[in-house]
Amino acid sequence: MKSVHTILSSLLAGMMMFSLAACTASGTGASGSDSSAVQTDAVPQGRWVERQADGISSGLVLGAAPAALADGSLVLYARDESTDMPVTVRLNSTDNGASWQSETLDWAEKTGTLARWAARQDGTVAFTTTDSTLWVVQSDGNPVQLDLGVDGGNFYLNQMGFLPDGTLVAVPSGGPGVSLPGNILFYDVDAQKVKSWVQVSSGNQSWMGAGADASGENYYFGDNDIAGILPAGDESGSFLYYFSSNGDLCRADQDGTTQTVQTGFLSDPYSAQAAMGTDGSICYADRTGIYRQAQGGSLREQVVDGTGTALSLSSNYISQLCCAPDGSYLAIVSDGSMQTKLYRYFFDPTLSAPANTLEVWSLEENATVRAAIQTFTQQNPDCAVEYEVALQEGAGLTKDDALRTLNTEILAGSGPDILRLDGMSTKNYLEKDVLLDLSDLLTETPTLEKITKCYASGGKVCILPAAFAIPAIYGPRD
């Protein structure tokens, strides 16, 4: 097992934005906590692993989740914005999304800049361009512009997908002066005709998409209260699951019938993304992890714990989710700089489950703690991290309640390993000698002595200020 100092050194190297301390066993001053650094003689084999996919350059904008083709490969279309003019490229993967090979497309110059897309199992791709035009490219490689039969202005396809029977389904929003026959469209791309429009009322909130017409004048398209779509099928045929703005799981059939399948399926449908599992289950990802639930069932299983992954970072936005043929998961994540990255989550049976657990505690959610945990778990895969945020939204717990519970746990020897001390008084913890002396750690982790020595007390350094600011004024020399 790693020593407490080694574990703290790895974690502190990644979290330099707040005050923190490490706890000792109850009142003894000895390092370590039997309750949090857990070791077992029989370590379970196998665990889920996060890896960023290879072969996807930073200049690519990924506008939709990878699609599985009939031959077991995956395809992904992207907009390359690393050049003066954006270029549409196709990426292919034959190893369930671990690596991708990019290719240019002869037909891309004829269609304009890629916006949204969806691919069918036979390789047919339907996509919209930034001028709101809908195209389809089939096996002959020739792009064909599709007419949806809507007159009197522009409209925008916010979401697209293919049903198992090959029908294209899309959620449009109409531009100024456009009255759409419904807010879900079923379209036959082979016959190039509309199969049906379905009108649904799916919640009490709505959102809007923005676009520009051919002249470049900006305007807003109409709103739509469908938070997400999930093409699906069962023994009855192909249909569409969709999520209302309230998080309800609903169903729309091509004959126009609709129904609510499960109320409150998603607590926040705009921060989660869903996909159909290879076994027909409904899967979704949010900041807490990846989950699955059987169709028609009510029991939900957390497959991947989001702690320590890119999913958990508040600076990231999960924009797409895909279930690969081998049962792994692919998530497209946009970071704070609006760069899109593709992460793969797969189960590795050759790796042992983490034998140790490090517990981190803070009063409130902290983005930097999340980022530090992600860095730490990548560098220390044999140690899991549990991050407890005391004042969760909606929990009804007061600050005094949270601190009272924390103090009881610390004095009983079952407290966390690392405390984020923002919003807390440190005097009592120092007087009770429940914080670990980090003096030795300072020789292992790069720090500024003039800063850290200000927190020395009684020959010990039990608290590290992980952030400091230097006021500065600049101006012309004269």
Side-chain angles (χ1 to χ4, degrees):
M1 184 181 86
K2 294 177 181 288
S3 68
V4 173
H5 279 154
T6 302
I7 291 176
L8 285 174
S9 178
S10 299
L11 185 57
L12 296 182
M15 49 198 300
M16 297 303 292
M17 291 297 290
F18 44 84
S19 299
L20 50 87
C23 293
T24 70
S26 175
T28 64
S31 71
S33 171
D34 292 339
S35 64
S36 57
V38 178
Q39 281 191 305
T40 60
D41 294 332
V43 178
Q45 284 296 114
R47 54 188 161 90
W48 286 87
V49 179
E50 176 189 67
R51 291 285 185 273
Q52 187 172 344
D54 294 329
I56 299 179
S57 64
S58 59
L60 295 181
V61 176
L62 311 177
L69 302 183
D71 62 2
S73 65
L74 292 167
V75 66
L76 182 64
Y77 287 82
R79 187 171 66 249
D80 187 354
E81 295 189 344
S82 63
T83 58
D84 293 337
M85 293 294 293
V87 177
T88 300
V89 298
R90 180 169 58 207
L91 298 104
N92 304 286
S93 174
T94 57
D95 55 8
N96 292 287
S99 62
W100 297 80
Q101 296 74 44
S102 176
E103 61 176 317
T104 57
L105 304 166
D106 294 335
W107 49 260
E109 294 182 358
K110 306 174 185 178
T111 61
T113 304
L114 180 74
R116 294 281 189 270
W117 66 271
R120 201 164 61 179
Q121 280 198 331
D122 64 358
T124 297
V125 58
F127 61 95
T128 60
T129 50
T130 51
D131 61 358
S132 302
T133 304
L134 177 63
W135 299 81
V136 64
V137 179
Q138 295 181 310
S139 57
D140 59 7
N142 294 317
V144 177
Q145 186 174 339
L146 301 179
D147 181 11
L148 300 186
V150 178
D151 299 324
N154 292 309
F155 60 93
Y156 180 69
L157 296 182
N158 298 308
Q159 305 172 66
M160 301 171 60
F162 276 101
L163 301 181
D165 68 0
T167 300
L168 176 68
V169 60
V171 176
S173 289
V178 177
S179 178
L180 297 174
N183 51 9
I184 294 178
L185 166 68
F186 293 101
Y187 190 89
D188 186 336
V189 296
D190 297 313
Q192 298 182 25
K193 66 177 183 179
V194 174
K195 297 181 73 172
S196 62
W197 286 91
V198 179
Q199 180 67 44
V200 300
S201 177
S202 60
N204 56 15
Q205 302 178 32
S206 62
W207 54 275
M208 302 184 73
D213 60 14
S215 67
E217 180 181 356
N218 291 323
Y219 56 83
Y220 284 96
F221 292 103
D223 62 356
N224 199 307
D225 56 1
I226 297 177
I229 63 173
L230 188 57
D234 57 18
E235 63 278 0
S236 67
S238 296
F239 58 89
L240 179 72
Y241 282 130
Y242 65 92
F243 295 99
S244 73
S245 58
N246 297 327
D248 298 340
L249 176 65
C250 306
R251 170 173 169 164
D253 285 273
Q254 298 179 56
D255 63 2
T257 59
T258 63
Q259 61 178 299
T260 298
V261 178
Q262 182 175 336
T263 59
F265 187 93
L266 297 176
S267 59
D268 184 358
Y270 293 104
S271 64
Q273 295 295 328
M276 294 302 297
T278 54
D279 60 353
S281 60
I282 301 173
C283 306
Y284 72 91
D286 60 20
R287 284 180 179 156
T288 64
I290 300 176
Y291 300 81
R292 64 182 296 277
Q293 178 177 311
Q295 287 193 64
S298 59
L299 297 178
R300 196 165 305 180
E301 173 194 4
Q302 184 183 56
V303 182
V304 180
D305 186 355
T307 304
T309 70
L311 302 175
S312 67
L313 302 184
S314 60
S315 59
N316 286 345
Y317 171 72
I318 308 168
S319 61
Q320 302 290 338
L321 181 69
C322 165
C323 299
D326 68 342
S328 60
Y329 299 90
L330 301 168
I332 296 177
V333 175
S334 301
D335 62 19
S337 61
M338 300 308 294
Q339 292 288 326
T340 53
K341 299 177 181 179
L342 180 63
Y343 290 92
R344 181 170 181 252
Y345 301 86
F346 61 96
F347 187 80
D348 189 338
T350 67
L351 298 178
S352 60
N356 307 314
T357 300
L358 188 71
E359 298 179 1
V360 181
W361 187 97
S362 65
L363 269 175
E364 298 177 338
E365 177 71 38
N366 184 269
T368 309
V369 173
R370 293 287 185 190
I373 291 173
Q374 183 192 23
T375 301
F376 174 79
T377 52
Q378 289 175 346
Q379 296 175 353
N380 302 269
D382 61 334
C383 184
V385 178
E386 295 181 357
Y387 179 29
E388 179 183 355
V389 179
L391 301 181
Q392 296 277 8
E393 184 177 354
L397 193 69
T398 68
K399 177 179 177 180
D400 288 341
D401 292 336
L403 293 178
R404 189 179 302 111
T405 300
L406 171 67
N407 294 338
T408 300
E409 292 176 350
I410 290 177
L411 293 176
S414 60
D417 298 295
I418 294 179
L419 295 175
R420 174 183 174 238
L421 297 173
D422 290 38
M424 299 166 58
S425 172
T426 61
K427 182 179 179 181
N428 290 336
Y429 297 109
L430 291 172
E431 290 178 348
K432 287 180 170 49
D433 194 26
V434 295
L435 301 181
L436 180 70
D437 183 8
L438 303 176
S439 299
D440 293 342
L441 178 62
L442 300 181
T443 63
E444 304 173 20
T445 304
T447 56
L448 295 177
E449 182 180 357
K450 290 185 178 180
I451 301 296
T452 58
K453 73 178 184 180
C454 297
Y455 289 80
S457 176
K460 298 180 180 180
V461 178
C462 297
I463 299 172
L464 289 179
F468 63 90
I470 302 176
I473 298 176
Y474 68 93
R477 292 180 179 274
D478 55 358

